[in-house]
């Protein structure tokens, strides 16, 4: 049996937590993965430096949508400072399965959109996604 | 190195032996390669033609007066003649080497397009075009102020030809469409559509990326104005494609890129252009790749394109029958008779990417998943992505059976 | 398949063993290849990297989720990183794969040029440009109504830098010049010229077709805006070249060709573009060729570019000394210290074509004869053609001696 | 010793016959070989269907210039009808040495220019030089 699709991943895929939009978000970003077409949008309501509410919408594979759902749970109620620190390892830990190179873009789409939403809201400095480089 | 004439009915089982990659393992399982529509595998004859060229004959072409440069030039130009014969071009100078189908189309859009398309002019495309036969025309239309109209696609994945006829009444300058859809597999009635376009005064560019590799294509019978295809999809190397054009059109077109080889004379401020085909081949060409493409043409000729087409139709019919029995599986596009060796499908709520990952890891089957560079067509069917299996001369029914096995595995994993 | 780290001072004699073609015969004589400036020969490591790729890993890149497509993508992108490091680019996304130097220059002329060059704008070139760094600018100037001015060449084959400074006062938008002349061998003072251009507000495109293969080139030290070169001149395959650009410039530029892989989203009438470098790589790329180029970079790194440069300077000094003793022979261009491994010459009233034919047939020496795609430079020196011998890491003094022997033979045949 | 450069070829190269221009030609053409830069111009004076006078000018290799010189001798005084019939074999015969593929363009440059001059004068139908093809 494949290790890649644990039950909790299918559960997050089919029953995504925090799915939808916020009426009055104060942080928002969206992006797509140009090669596979996966899409993701995140709304945040930040109050007193805390992520009060989070909603996401998207379409894509089980990996990308489950990662987004798990990430939304992870950040709810956290301080902006903590959220800014979230990195790829946190996403991989929560997915708990090995991700092949071609699928990392799926796994990290929501993380990228999350950081972009904070950057657009002026809460984080924009990142330059050139990790592959020297 | 050169291919021996094969019996016309060489079996796919036999053919497979010529493709080294088909005996490799992935994730410990034999590779089942069902993604030839994206890029085909290469027979030893093609790989060796290029290695041998580098080992014995490489030199820059066209301008050398010494032995190996003469040999290299002769080999490259012989490849051009082979390609010309393969598509039944009247003259080899009508065969222009580019990087791929995409560059061939862009060459026409830049060279013919900027010289001929004016504000308000109409270009007719279809709703099933690959991005490569869509984006260049969008870019041209935007700069030239031209209009684009699209022949819609029916629920069955066919072109709506009544709308096509209406669009032709608006007197388009150009019609550009795919001979065979890389998503639906639909083989469009190119000959009729070209005749209709000509009757309406339009030129026709045919995107033959999926037809030239898989069926006999005769540019004179089609009477097509421009034809574009890629070597890498027809057993040949990456890095080379072809633009065929009618001679008077090519002669009248300004050059695309400037540089070495494409000039006749160069002054500091003005230059004059070389003859066809070199006018359109600026700089050192893809020499080894042209030779590799020539070897691929030899190989396909030895199989026979009618045989290739027949084999793929058989495999496709078999595959459609088999996969249709998988619960929840939906196939898009027309019946086997009207399509090439391509099947796009979805399975339940399993995202095609997940499906492709599972097939890869569980049974070693390589299929493509995504929008297949045809986002508008995907939207037409309300899809973000499909899974796509595609076939070639080396595909056998065992490959299809392994695909079906993998699909059942996916149902299991996704608890469907 | 991958190159083992070689001792830094590997001899040319030793290196020759890696190049299968160097042991072939022409007209019954061992091939003496003195035309590397036109195109270099290929070591086994490069040829095998490509064969092995086709035999084990080929699939279309970037969009496949299955094993071999992931491997192919990783191999290709690793090659990009190798190339980036080779020229010391800050990021691999600044390395765009094209077909050759010519396409790299045309890409800039079309994409940056049409967006930035307006009527009356000035582009500064030099009198020693290859047609590939001249014709694209003529085409752009003609369409945009821009002006071209040329830095003249001195009798010694050097750029007239005082005129360059005067031209810079006219505030050109772009300066485009060759790092090393493919005719005279002149190595131009690129770093100073670029600094001066920047001080005058101009961008600089450097034609590095002859420098990147033959000496250390550091784009950050040069502070160059665009750099162009070809794999086939640096031990790599045909069919692939490189455009390096400063990131902010590349980001701001519109795409050149439209099609698959270069898009982010595609609608029927509008599209958005992918990130660098893919924005400029439309359609299926030259995958095997990128991998071959990566292997060539490995091979050159193992030799060491300083060593390569040193070896070529030694051979060039020796060759100039030797051929100068042939009666009636005239060498064009600067002294050995200011040139790369290229010697252009004439011999009495023997036309260079006849000379090249005689060298080929009598002693198996391959040299080039003609205008070397630099007609304006030829006219500057009142020549229709020159003979040209050029050297690389595998050139040995025996090759030069055979050239000299052939030159004496030519004198005999022409009764001089 | 090379077979390629017989003495008479060097002689024609160094002392080309009929070199120069005509004051009042009634047929003229010129062309160059784009790959090597060889140039050739031919002037003809045709009277009563005969080539009364011929002059050529050019620069290029011994093969191209000797071929032109020999060709000029060959056509002088000939009827237009005869000149129209001249083909590659005639040029190769007069050169009398084997010509390698890369040098055929040199050998045939003058022949091409000759036929073009007649075509431009309306004495021959324009040729389409696609001999390499099917
Ligand atoms: C200085 C220079 N620039 C440009 C080119 C063109 O290179 P390519 O033919 O590979 O495009 C060459 C090669 O001949 C060259 O020597
Ligand atoms: C129908 C069609 N057109 C164009 C292309 C583009 O081909 P290439 O990527 O070789 O330029 C493809 C290949 O994906 C295709 O299937």
């Amino acid at each position: 049996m494949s290790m890649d699709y644990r039950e909790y991943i299918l559960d997050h895929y089919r029953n995504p937590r925090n799915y939808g939009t916020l009426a009055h978000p104060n942080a928002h970003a969206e992006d797509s993965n140009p090669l596979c077409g996966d899409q993701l949008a995140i709304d945040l309501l930040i109050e007193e430096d805390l992520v009060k509410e989070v909603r996401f919408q998207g379409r894509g594979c089980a990996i990308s949508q489950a990662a987004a759902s798990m990430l939304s749970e992870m950040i709810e109620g956290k301080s902006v400072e903590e959220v800014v620190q979230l990195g790829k390892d946190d996403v991989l830990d929560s997915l708990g399965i090995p991700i092949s190179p071609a699928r990392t873009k799926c796994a990290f789409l929501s993380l990228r959109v999350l950081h972009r939403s904070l950057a657009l809201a002026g809460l984080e400095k924009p990142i330059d996604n050139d990790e592959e480089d020297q | 190195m050169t291919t021996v004439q094969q019996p016309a009915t060489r079996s796919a089982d036999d053919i497979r032996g010529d493709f080294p990659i088909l005996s490799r393992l992935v994730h410990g399982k034999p590779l089942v390669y069902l993604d030839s529509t994206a890029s085909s595998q290469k027979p030893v004859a093609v790989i060796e033609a290029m290695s041998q060229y580098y080992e014995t004959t490489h030199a820059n072409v066209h301008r050398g007066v010494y032995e190996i440069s003469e040999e290299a030039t002769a080999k490259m130009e012989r490849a051009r003649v082979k390609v010309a014969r393969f598509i039944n071009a009247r003259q080899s100078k009508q065969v222009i080497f580019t990087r791929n189908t995409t560059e061939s189309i862009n060459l026409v859009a830049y060279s013919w397009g900027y010289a001929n398309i004016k504000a308000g002019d109409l270009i007719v495309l279809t709703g099933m075009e690959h991005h490569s036969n869509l984006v260049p025309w969008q870019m041209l239309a935007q700069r030239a102020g031209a209009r684009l109209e699209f022949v819609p696609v029916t629920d069955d994945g066919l072109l709506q030809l009544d709308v096509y006829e209406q669009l032709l009444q608006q007197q388009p300058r150009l019609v550009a469409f795919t001979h065979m859809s890389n998503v639906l597999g639909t083989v469009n009635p190119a000959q009729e559509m070209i005749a209709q376009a000509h009757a309406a005064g339009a030129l026709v560019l045919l995107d033959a990326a999926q037809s030239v590799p898989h069926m006999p294509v005769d540019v004179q019978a089609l009477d097509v104005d421009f034809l574009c295809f890629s070597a890498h999809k027809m057993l040949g190397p990456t890095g080379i494609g072809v633009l065929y054009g009618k001679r008077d059109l090519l002669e009248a077109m300004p050059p695309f890129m400037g540089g070495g080889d494409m000039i006749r004379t160069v002054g500091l401020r003005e230059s004059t252009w070389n003859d066809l085909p070199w006018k359109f081949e600026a700089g050192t060409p893809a020499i080894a790749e042209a030779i590799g493409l020539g070897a691929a043409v030899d190989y396909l000729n030895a199989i026979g394109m009618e045989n290739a087409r027949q084999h793929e139709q058989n495999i496709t019919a078999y595959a459609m029958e088999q996969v249709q029995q998988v619960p929840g599986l939906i196939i898009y596009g027309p019946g086997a008779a009207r399509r090439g060796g391509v099947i796009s499908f979805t399975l339940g709520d399993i995202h095609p990417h997940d499906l492709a990952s599972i097939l890869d890891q569980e049974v070693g089957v390589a299929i493509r998943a995504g929008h297949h560079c045809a986002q508008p067509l995907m939207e037409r069917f309300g899809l973000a992505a499909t899974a796509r299996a595609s076939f070639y001369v080396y595909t056998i029914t065992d490959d299809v059976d392994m695909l079906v096995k993998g699909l059942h595995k996916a149902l299991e994993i996704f608890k469907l």
Side-chain angles (χ1 to χ4, degrees), chain B residues 37-38 99-103 105 128-133 178-183 207-210 229-233 372-373 388:
Chain B
T37 289
R99 180 172 38 249
N100 49 30
T101 306
T102 304
E103 191 191 343
I105 297 171
M128 61 167 79
E129 296 312 311
H130 188 281
H131 295 162
S132 292
N133 198 27
T178 189
H179 202 174
M180 173 176 141
S181 163
N182 65 312
V183 179
D207 175 353
Q210 297 302 341
F229 56 99
S230 298
H232 73 92
K233 294 186 198 280
H372 315 296
C373 292
R388 183 186 73 189

Side-chain angles (χ1 to χ4, degrees), chain B residues 60 63 260 282-285:
Chain B
N60 214 326
R63 283 161 298 170
T284 302

